[in-house]
Amino acid sequence: MAHNPLAPEWLSPPADANTLIDGLWPASAHRANDGAITIGGVSAPDLAARFGTPLYVIDETDARSRAAELRAAFDAEFARIGTTVKVYYAAKAFLSTEVARWMVDAGLNIDVCSGGELAVALAAGVAPGRIGFHGNNKSLAEIDDATRLGVGTIIIDSPIEITRVAAAAARHGAVQNVRLRVNSGVHAHTHEFLATSHEDQKFGVVFEDAPALVAAIRAEPSLNFLGLHCHIGSQIFGVDGFAESASRLLSLQADLLATGPVPELNLGGGFGIAYTSVDDPTPVRQLAAGLADIVAAECASRGIPVPVIAIEPGRVIVGPAGVTLYEVGTTKPVQVGENTRLYVSIDGGMSDNARPALYGAEFSVRIADRVSAADAALVRVAGKHCESGDIVVDADYLPGDVAPGDLVMVPATGAYCWSLASNYNYLGRPAVVAVVDGEARVIVRGETIDDLLARDTGISRSAHGVSTSSTSGEGSTSTTSEDVKETTR
Ligand code: LLP
C-alpha cells in the first residue's frame, strides 16, 4: 500500500499490518492458529473475557529473563575489567510486590524514590539492605524511616540532605551508607546527548561543589560515603552519553581518592527500548561491554582502581514485557484534504498511558483477536477522555476493517504506564495481570467505582447506582458483562 501523506515520515506502510514487529513485543507473544495474539500462553480474547478491558498484561517469564539477562551481561562484562556490579531495579518504572520479588529472585536490588515505593518493596519482603532511596525532596519522615529501617543506601541529592540524613542516622544509632548524586552536565535523550559544564536542573549537586560536599559527608560519623551517583536521562540509545558521564565522574573520583576511599560508582539508569518499527536500541550486552571498556580505560588513564559499579535500569527490564489490551468502541474516518485518517477510539486512554500526552511518545498497535486481509489503513488510536490530546498511538497502520468490538493491543507499555496512571475523568486504573505458562493471574486489581468514591467524604458509598464491575465506561467488556469480572474481586 502507498504511504499515506498524513503519516509521519518515519512510518512506512507495513507489508502486513497483522505482523508483530520483532523487538516490540514480549518474548512469548505470537499469533495463535485462530489469529489471536497470545502472551504467556493466554490469548487476548481469553484475557478480555476474564478480566475486562483496558488491561495491563505482563509476561512474567519475559520480565524475569530481562532482569536476569541484564544482570548476567553486566556481571560478565565488568568481571572482565576486574570488578563487580550492583544492579538496582528502578521501581518507578513499575512496582508491585510481585514484580519486586521477581527482581530480587533475579539477583537485583530495588531503587525507590518515595515512602510509598519503599512501603511496597518492604511489603514484598525485600531486605531493607537491598534498597536504594532516591529523591530530590525526601521528607524528614521518609529519611527517618529509611535510616530506622536500615535502607541500604540513601542517595543524597542536595547539600541540605547531608545534615538531615546524618541526624536521622545518629538518632537511630546507625551508620548510613550514602551516595552523592552529582549533576555531570551530561543530559541525554535517545540518540543525542548534551554536555554542559553546569546544568540547570533540579537533580543532584553541582559538579564543582562535589569535593566539599564529600568532605562534609566524610566528616559525619553517622554517614559512610559509598561513592558518586549520576543519572543522565531516560530512553537513551547508544553508549556515548553514558561514556561521557562516566568519564566526568571518574575524573572527580580520582580527586576524591586523594582524601579518602570511594569504593563505588553509580551510573544510573536510562537504557532505551523500542516502541516503534524504527527504534533501534542498543542491546544490553553491548551497553555493558561499552560501559566496562570506558570505565576500565578512564581508570587506567588516571591510575585509579576500578570501583564497584552500580546501575539503576527500569524501563529496559519491564517495558517490553508489558502490553495494554483495549476494546475498540468507535471508529471514524476523518478526511484531511485528499487523505483519510481512521480514528480508532478505545476504552482507555491518557489515564492508563500518559506518555504520548506528556512526552509526545510514540507507540504501536495491532488488532489482537483476529488477523485480517483488509488493506492497511493509517490509524490514530484515541482514548475516551474529554481532551483532544488524549491519544495512545499517534500513527500506525492497522487492517482497514478494524471495527467496534475488536480487541487491540499496544506493546511496550510495561514501564511508566501503570506507574503514571491517573483517575482523570474518574476512570479507574486498570488491573495488571501476569501471564505465564498458560496461566493468568491478577497482580494488581483494577479500580472500581467504589474505590473511586472511597475517599470522597460527602458520598454514601452505595448511593451511586453505577455498576461496580468497572470504571472504564460504556462499551467496555467489563461494564457490559452481567457478572463481576475477576479484576474486581
Ligand atoms: N535512576 C534514576 C535516578 C532515575 O531518575 C530514573 C528514571 C532511573 C534510574 C530509571 O530510568 P530508566 O532505566 O527506567 O530509563 N516517565 C518517563 C521516564 C522518567 C524517568 C525518570 N527517572 C517516561 O515515561 O519516559
Side-chain angles (χ1 to χ4, degrees):
M1 127 179 226
H3 177 80
N4 183 326
L6 298 177
E9 239 162 56
W10 59 263
L11 179 65
S12 315
D16 178 355
N18 300 291
T19 304
L20 306 188
I21 294 164
D22 272 357
L24 294 190
W25 292 81
S28 66
H30 66 278
R31 287 202 184 267
N33 292 340
D34 63 357
I37 298 177
T38 295
I39 300 180
V42 189
S43 80
D46 285 354
L47 287 165
R50 256 182 87 184
F51 304 107
T53 54
L55 185 70
Y56 297 107
V57 182
I58 183 156
D59 179 337
E60 177 177 342
T61 308
D62 194 30
R64 286 178 180 272
S65 317
R66 283 175 198 274
E69 280 159 21
L70 183 137
R71 185 174 163 227
F74 275 83
D75 278 352
E77 293 298 338
F78 281 83
R80 177 169 64 76
I81 66 159
T83 192
T84 56
V85 180
K86 295 179 178 173
V87 182
Y88 289 80
Y89 167 65
K92 55 184 78 74
F94 177 87
L95 183 65
S96 73
T97 54
E98 280 258 357
V99 168
R101 284 193 281 265
W102 301 348
M103 297 302 132
V104 170
D105 285 351
L108 274 55
N109 306 291
I110 308 284
D111 153 38
V112 301
C113 64
S114 71
E117 288 184 355
L118 175 62
V120 178
L122 293 174
V126 178
R130 298 186 72 138
I131 298 175
F133 200 123
H134 262 289
N136 65 301
N137 185 20
K138 303 170 196 79
S139 70
L140 294 181
E142 286 171 332
I143 292 172
D144 193 73
D145 282 345
T147 51
R148 179 174 53 80
L149 295 165
V151 159
T153 59
I154 295 182
I155 297 85
I156 290 184
D157 200 275
S158 61
I160 211 166
E161 272 193 343
I162 297 173
T163 43
R164 286 182 182 175
V165 177
R171 233 179 1 259
H172 298 297
V175 174
Q176 178 65 54
N177 287 329
V178 296
R179 305 179 193 277
L180 180 66
R181 180 162 179 178
V182 175
N183 191 338
S184 68
V186 178
H187 192 77
H189 181 69
T190 309
H191 306 283
E192 305 93 36
F193 74 89
L194 193 77
T196 60
S197 59
H198 191 138
E199 222 188 358
D200 189 5
Q201 60 126 317
K202 74 170 184 168
F203 291 113
V205 302
V206 174
F207 190 84
E208 289 74 17
D209 295 347
L213 295 172
V214 171
I217 291 171
R218 285 174 171 157
E220 294 285 356
S222 60
L223 300 183
N224 177 41
F225 179 62
L226 272 191
L228 301 170
H229 172 284
C230 72
H231 172 77
I232 61 170
S234 200
Q235 183 57 6
I236 301 167
F237 294 173
V239 185
D240 295 354
F242 297 109
E244 178 65 26
S245 166
S247 157
R248 290 185 178 205
L249 268 282
L250 285 166
S251 74
L252 198 50
Q253 176 108 354
D255 294 345
L256 297 175
L257 279 167
T259 49
V262 192
E264 300 193 6
L265 173 64
N266 189 326
L267 296 172
F271 311 148
I273 64 166
Y275 288 98
T276 69
S277 55
V278 293
D279 287 340
D280 188 18
T282 313
V284 160
R285 184 72 195 234
Q286 215 171 303
L287 273 173
L291 275 173
D293 288 344
I294 187 83
V295 168
E298 293 288 333
C299 290
S301 76
R302 295 185 163 82
I304 58 173
V306 177
V308 168
I309 297 295
I311 53 166
E312 295 167 349
R315 185 192 314 261
V316 76
I317 296 172
V318 288
V323 304
T324 313
L325 178 63
Y326 303 99
E327 184 177 318
V328 175
T330 63
T331 56
K332 182 160 52 183
V334 173
Q335 189 79 22
V336 185
E338 305 282 281
N339 303 294
T340 306
R341 187 194 308 277
L342 184 61
Y343 277 80
V344 174
S345 290
I346 43 96
D347 49 0
M350 64 194 295
S351 54
D352 62 73
N353 187 349
R355 299 192 68 257
L358 270 179
Y359 317 114
E362 306 281 358
F363 281 89
S364 309
V365 64
R366 285 293 175 259
I367 294 179
D369 53 346
R370 65 186 177 98
V371 286
S372 161
D375 283 348
L378 177 69
V379 301
R380 177 168 284 167
V381 178
K384 62 181 275 117
H385 293 275
C386 290
E387 189 156 326
S388 53
D390 171 29
I391 301 299
V392 172
V393 183
D394 181 60
D396 200 352
Y397 288 91
L398 281 183
D401 63 353
V402 58
D406 276 336
L407 296 173
V408 293
M409 254 183 195
V410 174
T413 61
Y416 302 114
C417 289
W418 186 85
S419 60
L420 281 171
S422 77
N423 289 127
Y424 186 38
N425 295 147
Y426 272 91
L427 264 66
R429 281 169 288 199
V432 186
V433 165
V435 288
V436 60
D437 296 336
E439 300 288 332
R441 67 185 194 287
V442 175
I443 62 169
V444 185
R445 75 162 171 81
E447 282 173 320
T448 63
I449 291 277
D450 280 346
D451 288 326
L452 297 183
L453 293 186
R455 289 176 301 127
D456 186 323
T457 59
I459 310 174
S460 141
R461 283 186 64 195
S462 55
H464 55 75
V466 176
S467 158
T468 56
S469 63
S470 171
T471 56
S472 57
E474 228 178 80
S476 83
T477 317
S478 40
T479 43
T480 51
S481 171
E482 284 297 306
D483 52 350
V484 175
K485 300 280 186 213
E486 291 183 36
T487 49
T488 63
R489 280 182 198 152

mmCIF file of all heavy atoms in Angstrom, residues 90 92-93 111 134 181 203 229 231 233-235 268-271 275 312-316 355 358-359 415-416 420, ligand 1:
data_model
loop_
_atom_site.group_PDB
_atom_site.id
_atom_site.type_symbol
_atom_site.label_atom_id
_atom_site.label_comp_id
_atom_site.label_asym_id
_atom_site.label_seq_id
_atom_site.Cartn_x
_atom_site.Cartn_y
_atom_site.Cartn_z
ATOM 1 N N ALA A 90 14.896 0.085 38.947
ATOM 2 C CA ALA A 90 14.259 1.382 39.213
ATOM 3 C C ALA A 90 12.741 1.179 39.296
ATOM 4 O O ALA A 90 12.040 1.090 38.283
ATOM 5 C CB ALA A 90 14.605 2.382 38.117
ATOM 6 N N LYS A 92 10.288 2.942 39.900
ATOM 7 C CA LYS A 92 9.350 3.919 39.344
ATOM 8 C C LYS A 92 8.794 3.460 37.998
ATOM 9 O O LYS A 92 7.719 3.880 37.606
ATOM 10 C CB LYS A 92 10.016 5.292 39.207
ATOM 11 C CG LYS A 92 11.302 5.286 38.392
ATOM 12 C CD LYS A 92 11.963 6.646 38.377
ATOM 13 C CE LYS A 92 12.719 6.946 39.644
ATOM 14 N NZ LYS A 92 13.995 6.227 39.818
ATOM 15 N N ALA A 93 9.502 2.587 37.305
ATOM 16 C CA ALA A 93 9.011 2.111 36.003
ATOM 17 C C ALA A 93 7.729 1.303 36.174
ATOM 18 O O ALA A 93 6.776 1.459 35.410
ATOM 19 C CB ALA A 93 10.084 1.274 35.312
ATOM 20 N N ASP A 111 15.537 0.123 43.655
ATOM 21 C CA ASP A 111 15.719 1.565 43.835
ATOM 22 C C ASP A 111 14.334 2.197 43.973
ATOM 23 O O ASP A 111 13.479 2.016 43.112
ATOM 24 C CB ASP A 111 16.493 2.077 42.604
ATOM 25 C CG ASP A 111 16.226 3.532 42.277
ATOM 26 O OD1 ASP A 111 16.100 4.328 43.216
ATOM 27 O OD2 ASP A 111 16.167 3.862 41.081
ATOM 28 N N HIS A 134 16.119 7.266 46.648
ATOM 29 C CA HIS A 134 16.380 8.470 45.868
ATOM 30 C C HIS A 134 15.389 9.565 46.197
ATOM 31 O O HIS A 134 14.366 9.315 46.823
ATOM 32 C CB HIS A 134 16.148 8.158 44.382
ATOM 33 C CG HIS A 134 17.388 7.850 43.636
ATOM 34 N ND1 HIS A 134 18.321 8.801 43.347
ATOM 35 C CD2 HIS A 134 17.843 6.698 43.102
ATOM 36 C CE1 HIS A 134 19.304 8.240 42.665
ATOM 37 N NE2 HIS A 134 19.048 6.969 42.509
ATOM 38 N N ARG A 181 24.562 12.303 44.645
ATOM 39 C CA ARG A 181 24.156 12.455 43.238
ATOM 40 C C ARG A 181 24.751 13.740 42.685
ATOM 41 O O ARG A 181 24.493 14.839 43.198
ATOM 42 C CB ARG A 181 22.631 12.475 43.110
ATOM 43 C CG ARG A 181 22.198 12.637 41.662
ATOM 44 C CD ARG A 181 20.773 12.245 41.444
ATOM 45 N NE ARG A 181 20.402 12.442 40.053
ATOM 46 C CZ ARG A 181 19.223 12.150 39.545
ATOM 47 N NH1 ARG A 181 18.288 11.633 40.310
ATOM 48 N NH2 ARG A 181 18.964 12.367 38.269
ATOM 49 N N PHE A 203 17.923 17.993 39.839
ATOM 50 C CA PHE A 203 18.537 16.821 40.469
ATOM 51 C C PHE A 203 20.028 16.999 40.713
ATOM 52 O O PHE A 203 20.744 17.563 39.883
ATOM 53 C CB PHE A 203 18.342 15.574 39.601
ATOM 54 C CG PHE A 203 16.914 15.115 39.535
ATOM 55 C CD1 PHE A 203 16.217 15.178 38.348
ATOM 56 C CD2 PHE A 203 16.267 14.640 40.667
ATOM 57 C CE1 PHE A 203 14.899 14.764 38.279
ATOM 58 C CE2 PHE A 203 14.956 14.222 40.610
ATOM 59 C CZ PHE A 203 14.263 14.285 39.412
ATOM 60 N N HIS A 229 27.051 9.300 42.322
ATOM 61 C CA HIS A 229 25.937 8.797 41.516
ATOM 62 C C HIS A 229 25.629 9.821 40.436
ATOM 63 O O HIS A 229 25.692 11.031 40.687
ATOM 64 C CB HIS A 229 24.698 8.633 42.402
ATOM 65 C CG HIS A 229 23.449 8.297 41.623
ATOM 66 N ND1 HIS A 229 22.746 9.238 40.893
ATOM 67 C CD2 HIS A 229 22.797 7.132 41.441
ATOM 68 C CE1 HIS A 229 21.728 8.659 40.309
ATOM 69 N NE2 HIS A 229 21.732 7.375 40.624
ATOM 70 N N HIS A 231 22.719 10.214 36.937
ATOM 71 C CA HIS A 231 21.701 9.633 36.051
ATOM 72 C C HIS A 231 21.468 10.668 34.961
ATOM 73 O O HIS A 231 21.100 11.804 35.261
ATOM 74 C CB HIS A 231 20.416 9.364 36.840
ATOM 75 C CG HIS A 231 19.265 8.957 35.970
ATOM 76 N ND1 HIS A 231 19.147 7.691 35.433
ATOM 77 C CD2 HIS A 231 18.183 9.652 35.537
ATOM 78 C CE1 HIS A 231 18.039 7.630 34.710
ATOM 79 N NE2 HIS A 231 17.442 8.804 34.748
ATOM 80 N N GLY A 233 19.489 10.587 32.142
ATOM 81 C CA GLY A 233 18.242 10.683 31.387
ATOM 82 C C GLY A 233 17.667 9.309 31.135
ATOM 83 O O GLY A 233 18.165 8.317 31.667
ATOM 84 N N SER A 234 16.614 9.260 30.338
ATOM 85 C CA SER A 234 15.891 8.008 30.139
ATOM 86 C C SER A 234 15.635 7.804 28.652
ATOM 87 O O SER A 234 15.629 8.772 27.879
ATOM 88 C CB SER A 234 14.572 8.101 30.909
ATOM 89 O OG SER A 234 14.043 6.838 31.149
ATOM 90 N N GLN A 235 15.402 6.526 28.268
ATOM 91 C CA GLN A 235 15.147 6.173 26.861
ATOM 92 C C GLN A 235 16.335 6.596 25.984
ATOM 93 O O GLN A 235 16.180 7.253 24.964
ATOM 94 C CB GLN A 235 13.802 6.779 26.396
ATOM 95 C CG GLN A 235 13.346 6.453 24.983
ATOM 96 C CD GLN A 235 13.228 4.948 24.701
ATOM 97 O OE1 GLN A 235 13.380 4.105 25.578
ATOM 98 N NE2 GLN A 235 12.979 4.588 23.468
ATOM 99 N N GLY A 268 23.592 5.173 37.224
ATOM 100 C CA GLY A 268 22.173 5.449 36.972
ATOM 101 C C GLY A 268 21.541 4.471 35.992
ATOM 102 O O GLY A 268 22.073 3.395 35.706
ATOM 103 N N GLY A 269 20.374 4.863 35.473
ATOM 104 C CA GLY A 269 19.655 4.011 34.515
ATOM 105 C C GLY A 269 19.505 4.741 33.200
ATOM 106 O O GLY A 269 20.313 5.610 32.880
ATOM 107 N N GLY A 270 18.476 4.383 32.441
ATOM 108 C CA GLY A 270 18.185 5.141 31.231
ATOM 109 C C GLY A 270 18.273 4.379 29.929
ATOM 110 O O GLY A 270 18.114 4.966 28.855
ATOM 111 N N PHE A 271 18.509 3.056 29.976
ATOM 112 C CA PHE A 271 18.683 2.297 28.726
ATOM 113 C C PHE A 271 17.363 2.235 27.962
ATOM 114 O O PHE A 271 16.326 1.863 28.514
ATOM 115 C CB PHE A 271 19.175 0.874 29.021
ATOM 116 C CG PHE A 271 20.355 0.830 29.974
ATOM 117 C CD1 PHE A 271 20.533 -0.238 30.843
ATOM 118 C CD2 PHE A 271 21.294 1.856 30.008
ATOM 119 C CE1 PHE A 271 21.609 -0.269 31.725
ATOM 120 C CE2 PHE A 271 22.372 1.833 30.878
ATOM 121 C CZ PHE A 271 22.531 0.766 31.747
ATOM 122 N N TYR A 275 9.782 1.251 20.786
ATOM 123 C CA TYR A 275 8.334 1.472 20.832
ATOM 124 C C TYR A 275 7.710 1.370 19.445
ATOM 125 O O TYR A 275 6.512 1.198 19.312
ATOM 126 C CB TYR A 275 8.027 2.861 21.412
ATOM 127 C CG TYR A 275 8.283 2.973 22.908
ATOM 128 C CD1 TYR A 275 9.469 3.513 23.397
ATOM 129 C CD2 TYR A 275 7.340 2.528 23.820
ATOM 130 C CE1 TYR A 275 9.705 3.609 24.764
ATOM 131 C CE2 TYR A 275 7.560 2.619 25.187
ATOM 132 C CZ TYR A 275 8.740 3.164 25.658
ATOM 133 O OH TYR A 275 8.961 3.255 27.008
ATOM 134 N N GLU A 312 21.018 1.450 37.582
ATOM 135 C CA GLU A 312 19.614 1.507 38.030
ATOM 136 C C GLU A 312 18.636 1.491 36.862
ATOM 137 O O GLU A 312 17.867 2.443 36.669
ATOM 138 C CB GLU A 312 19.374 2.826 38.782
ATOM 139 C CG GLU A 312 20.112 2.989 40.053
ATOM 140 C CD GLU A 312 20.054 4.431 40.561
ATOM 141 O OE1 GLU A 312 19.614 5.329 39.817
ATOM 142 O OE2 GLU A 312 20.463 4.653 41.695
ATOM 143 N N PRO A 313 18.621 0.443 36.073
ATOM 144 C CA PRO A 313 17.685 0.431 34.944
ATOM 145 C C PRO A 313 16.260 0.078 35.374
ATOM 146 O O PRO A 313 16.056 -0.702 36.305
ATOM 147 C CB PRO A 313 18.247 -0.656 34.043
ATOM 148 C CG PRO A 313 18.958 -1.578 34.979
ATOM 149 C CD PRO A 313 19.436 -0.768 36.140
ATOM 150 N N GLY A 314 15.283 0.633 34.712
ATOM 151 C CA GLY A 314 13.879 0.297 34.969
ATOM 152 C C GLY A 314 13.198 -0.130 33.682
ATOM 153 O O GLY A 314 12.832 -1.286 33.485
ATOM 154 N N ARG A 315 13.104 0.827 32.752
ATOM 155 C CA ARG A 315 12.349 0.629 31.513
ATOM 156 C C ARG A 315 12.793 -0.619 30.737
ATOM 157 O O ARG A 315 11.964 -1.385 30.249
ATOM 158 C CB ARG A 315 12.535 1.860 30.631
ATOM 159 C CG ARG A 315 11.713 1.866 29.361
ATOM 160 C CD ARG A 315 12.175 2.967 28.394
ATOM 161 N NE ARG A 315 12.388 4.239 29.031
ATOM 162 C CZ ARG A 315 11.512 5.251 29.035
ATOM 163 N NH1 ARG A 315 10.370 5.138 28.417
ATOM 164 N NH2 ARG A 315 11.814 6.382 29.636
ATOM 165 N N VAL A 316 14.105 -0.814 30.621
ATOM 166 C CA VAL A 316 14.604 -1.889 29.756
ATOM 167 C C VAL A 316 14.221 -3.272 30.304
ATOM 168 O O VAL A 316 14.187 -4.249 29.574
ATOM 169 C CB VAL A 316 16.138 -1.742 29.582
ATOM 170 C CG1 VAL A 316 16.904 -2.196 30.823
ATOM 171 C CG2 VAL A 316 16.640 -2.449 28.342
ATOM 172 N N ARG A 355 2.050 8.722 28.488
ATOM 173 C CA ARG A 355 3.325 9.050 27.851
ATOM 174 C C ARG A 355 3.165 9.849 26.544
ATOM 175 O O ARG A 355 3.905 10.812 26.325
ATOM 176 C CB ARG A 355 4.175 7.797 27.633
ATOM 177 C CG ARG A 355 4.524 7.078 28.960
ATOM 178 C CD ARG A 355 5.599 6.011 28.801
ATOM 179 N NE ARG A 355 6.877 6.615 28.479
ATOM 180 C CZ ARG A 355 7.427 6.638 27.287
ATOM 181 N NH1 ARG A 355 6.829 6.026 26.280
ATOM 182 N NH2 ARG A 355 8.553 7.252 27.073
ATOM 183 N N LEU A 358 2.217 13.354 27.656
ATOM 184 C CA LEU A 358 3.268 14.017 28.440
ATOM 185 C C LEU A 358 4.537 14.296 27.634
ATOM 186 O O LEU A 358 5.169 15.320 27.803
ATOM 187 C CB LEU A 358 3.679 13.130 29.626
ATOM 188 C CG LEU A 358 2.940 13.283 30.946
ATOM 189 C CD1 LEU A 358 3.500 12.293 31.953
ATOM 190 C CD2 LEU A 358 3.085 14.693 31.499
ATOM 191 N N TYR A 359 4.927 13.327 26.820
ATOM 192 C CA TYR A 359 6.244 13.417 26.166
ATOM 193 C C TYR A 359 6.166 13.357 24.646
ATOM 194 O O TYR A 359 7.206 13.280 23.996
ATOM 195 C CB TYR A 359 7.160 12.262 26.601
ATOM 196 C CG TYR A 359 7.129 11.941 28.077
ATOM 197 C CD1 TYR A 359 6.631 10.727 28.529
ATOM 198 C CD2 TYR A 359 7.616 12.852 29.019
ATOM 199 C CE1 TYR A 359 6.616 10.425 29.884
ATOM 200 C CE2 TYR A 359 7.602 12.546 30.363
ATOM 201 C CZ TYR A 359 7.097 11.343 30.795
ATOM 202 O OH TYR A 359 7.077 11.044 32.131
ATOM 203 N N ALA A 415 6.529 -0.233 31.191
ATOM 204 C CA ALA A 415 7.196 0.765 32.041
ATOM 205 C C ALA A 415 6.529 2.120 31.893
ATOM 206 O O ALA A 415 6.155 2.521 30.782
ATOM 207 C CB ALA A 415 8.670 0.886 31.649
ATOM 208 N N TYR A 416 6.382 2.826 32.996
ATOM 209 C CA TYR A 416 5.891 4.205 33.009
ATOM 210 C C TYR A 416 4.503 4.358 32.372
ATOM 211 O O TYR A 416 4.188 5.394 31.803
ATOM 212 C CB TYR A 416 6.898 5.148 32.328
ATOM 213 C CG TYR A 416 8.258 5.110 32.979
ATOM 214 C CD1 TYR A 416 9.368 4.614 32.311
ATOM 215 C CD2 TYR A 416 8.431 5.564 34.287
ATOM 216 C CE1 TYR A 416 10.613 4.555 32.918
ATOM 217 C CE2 TYR A 416 9.675 5.508 34.898
ATOM 218 C CZ TYR A 416 10.763 5.007 34.221
ATOM 219 O OH TYR A 416 11.986 4.956 34.829
ATOM 220 N N LEU A 420 2.352 5.713 35.909
ATOM 221 C CA LEU A 420 1.938 7.103 35.665
ATOM 222 C C LEU A 420 0.429 7.221 35.500
ATOM 223 O O LEU A 420 -0.069 8.274 35.111
ATOM 224 C CB LEU A 420 2.607 7.627 34.384
ATOM 225 C CG LEU A 420 4.066 8.069 34.455
ATOM 226 C CD1 LEU A 420 4.603 8.337 33.052
ATOM 227 C CD2 LEU A 420 4.211 9.322 35.300
HETATM 228 N N1 LLP B 1 17.633 6.195 38.296
HETATM 229 C C1 LLP B 1 17.156 7.434 38.462
HETATM 230 C C2 LLP B 1 17.778 8.319 39.447
HETATM 231 C C3 LLP B 1 16.077 7.884 37.698
HETATM 232 O O1 LLP B 1 15.620 9.113 37.867
HETATM 233 C C4 LLP B 1 15.486 7.013 36.752
HETATM 234 C C5 LLP B 1 14.342 7.450 35.945
HETATM 235 C C6 LLP B 1 16.001 5.713 36.629
HETATM 236 C C7 LLP B 1 17.084 5.344 37.409
HETATM 237 C C8 LLP B 1 15.423 4.695 35.686
HETATM 238 O O2 LLP B 1 15.462 5.080 34.355
HETATM 239 P P1 LLP B 1 15.081 4.031 33.187
HETATM 240 O O3 LLP B 1 16.133 2.960 33.154
HETATM 241 O O4 LLP B 1 13.749 3.452 33.514
HETATM 242 O O5 LLP B 1 15.047 4.839 31.947
HETATM 243 N N2 LLP B 1 8.347 8.838 32.847
HETATM 244 C C9 LLP B 1 9.387 8.967 31.847
HETATM 245 C C10 LLP B 1 10.702 8.470 32.352
HETATM 246 C C11 LLP B 1 11.116 9.151 33.617
HETATM 247 C C12 LLP B 1 12.362 8.569 34.151
HETATM 248 C C13 LLP B 1 12.656 9.118 35.489
HETATM 249 N N3 LLP B 1 13.811 8.593 36.082
HETATM 250 C C14 LLP B 1 8.964 8.212 30.604
HETATM 251 O O6 LLP B 1 7.912 7.572 30.625
HETATM 252 O O7 LLP B 1 9.639 8.239 29.591
#
